[in-house]
Amino acid sequence: MLLAILLPFLSFMVRGKVLTGIIYLILQITLIGWLPAAIWAVLSLNNERADKRNDRLIKAMRENKR
């Protein structure tokens, strides 16, 4: 989470989203663009975690259904 706030472009590159990371780097270069890039990176990280959590719940529900 700290990485997403301080270096938004790097948080995407670590997760394998290189093109998105480059866009964030361009935004982060400008001081005005850094704040939206940081917010966008944090929201994206939270959405990815929520998707993984939902996938685990769906998988558990399907296994219990059998």
Side-chain angles (χ1 to χ4, degrees):
M1 185 67 73
L2 186 61
L3 184 64
I5 294 170
L6 296 177
L7 299 170
F9 76 95
L10 193 57
S11 73
F12 279 96
M13 289 190 177
V14 167
R15 290 187 280 159
K17 299 179 180 181
V18 178
L19 184 61
T20 307
I22 292 169
I23 293 169
Y24 280 93
L25 178 61
I26 293 168
L27 275 175
Q28 190 176 351
I29 288 172
T30 65
L31 187 58
I32 296 171
W34 176 81
L35 184 60
I39 292 170
W40 192 2
V42 169
L43 290 174
S44 176
L45 180 63
N46 285 335
N47 286 341
E48 187 174 326
R49 288 180 180 173
D51 288 344
K52 287 181 182 180
R53 185 174 49 247
N54 288 340
D55 289 342
R56 285 194 308 261
L57 286 171
I58 290 170
K59 183 179 177 184
M61 289 173 59
R62 287 183 180 161
E63 287 177 358
N64 286 336
K65 196 174 188 180
R66 293 179 190 173

